[in-house]
Amino acid sequence: MKQHDMKKKGSLNLAKSIVLGGSLMVAFTGAANAGAILSAVGGTINSSGPGFGSLQDTFDQSGLLSGYTSGVTDFDTYIGTNPLHTSTFASNEWFSNSGSNTASVTYDLGAVYSIDALALWNEEAAGIGLLDLYGSSDGVNFSLLSGGLTPTDHPTHPYDYSADVFGIGAALLQYVRLDMSRCPQQPGDFDSCAIGEVAFRQATQVPEPGTLALLALGLGGLVTVRRRKDKEQ
């Protein structure tokens, strides 16, 4: 085979590999362990803190009566078992400052994931009356994911309580902010906002066909350019 033909064949194979590899990369972005439940790896109290208890208690499964393996356990299967959260406060829940009827916290997932749902165990003695969810991939620029959510008003202690699941539409996120208001749900019990536990679901969706088509067109153009350059050589 002539050297020119070998170079041409090599260039085309490289371009085709980029097209296929690029398409597969996009198609499977965020799809590893799709549908799995994820816990946060960190959290920040933005307002009405430090409060009582530790925010870490709301994502370390300390208050859950049955646990899960983050990134492995299927979210829907786990939630389908109706996992309850203890009503015991110590080392299991977080309350905002006494007398506060609003609060804001941000959870860090540790990396960017495609997320499409939040599970919230709304604390039963104070809880959250109204909830707005915001998301960000960089921790600086946040966009509204879902607003005006009304978590379940659970019977006050000593009853263990279950989770609400709020869908947010698949979004690439590392940070999720909870802006809470209309707290508490149980006036006169303890005037603050309170969280039992949160967890997140990895999206099962992949990019829309239009996104993949655009990628193929763009990378297909690379093939054309490479062909033209090879002919000129």
Side-chain angles (χ1 to χ4, degrees):
M1 184 182 291
K2 295 181 180 180
Q3 185 177 3
H4 170 73
D5 292 335
M6 292 179 65
K7 289 176 64 178
K8 180 178 179 181
K9 184 176 181 181
S11 297
L12 288 175
N13 286 339
L14 173 62
K16 289 177 181 177
S17 296
I18 293 173
V19 173
L20 293 174
S23 298
L24 289 172
M25 178 183 67
V26 172
F28 289 101
T29 295
N33 297 319
I37 187 170
L38 283 175
S39 58
V41 300
T44 302
I45 301 169
N46 306 316
S47 65
S48 299
F52 304 88
S54 169
L55 191 61
Q56 181 174 336
D57 295 337
T58 68
F59 59 84
D60 64 1
Q61 304 184 50
S62 58
L64 294 176
L65 301 187
S66 60
Y68 61 86
T69 302
S70 180
V72 177
T73 303
D74 183 78
F75 181 99
D76 292 342
T77 300
Y78 176 71
I79 294 298
T81 67
N82 190 31
L84 297 178
H85 192 286
T86 179
S87 61
T88 301
F89 161 68
S91 300
N92 297 313
E93 302 171 333
W94 175 80
F95 285 69
S96 64
N97 291 339
S98 179
S100 58
N101 55 21
T102 63
S104 176
V105 301
T106 298
Y107 292 100
D108 179 1
L109 299 178
V112 174
Y113 295 94
S114 182
I115 301 297
D116 67 0
L118 163 76
L120 168 70
W121 284 261
N122 193 32
E123 194 279 331
E124 91 293 348
I128 304 166
L130 191 65
L131 178 65
D132 294 330
L133 299 177
Y134 292 83
S136 171
S137 61
D138 60 9
V140 176
N141 302 295
F142 284 81
S143 299
L144 180 66
L145 300 173
S146 188
L149 304 175
T150 53
T152 299
D153 186 357
H154 297 290
T156 192
H157 49 267
Y159 298 103
D160 300 329
Y161 51 94
S162 57
D164 292 313
V165 175
F166 299 109
I168 59 176
L172 292 174
L173 308 169
Q174 179 172 344
Y175 303 92
V176 180
R177 190 177 83 214
L178 279 62
D179 285 357
M180 301 162 269
S181 59
R182 295 186 188 174
C183 308
Q185 286 186 318
Q186 303 287 343
D189 195 343
F190 190 84
D191 292 335
S192 75
C193 299
I195 301 172
E197 187 88 14
V198 298
F200 306 88
R201 182 175 64 193
Q202 289 196 59
T204 57
Q205 297 179 356
V206 296
E208 297 179 359
T211 302
L212 297 180
L214 287 174
L215 176 69
L217 283 174
L219 293 176
L222 174 61
V223 176
T224 302
V225 171
R226 296 297 304 182
R227 281 175 174 168
R228 185 178 298 119
K229 287 184 176 180
D230 288 334
K231 288 180 179 179
E232 292 173 353
Q233 292 177 358

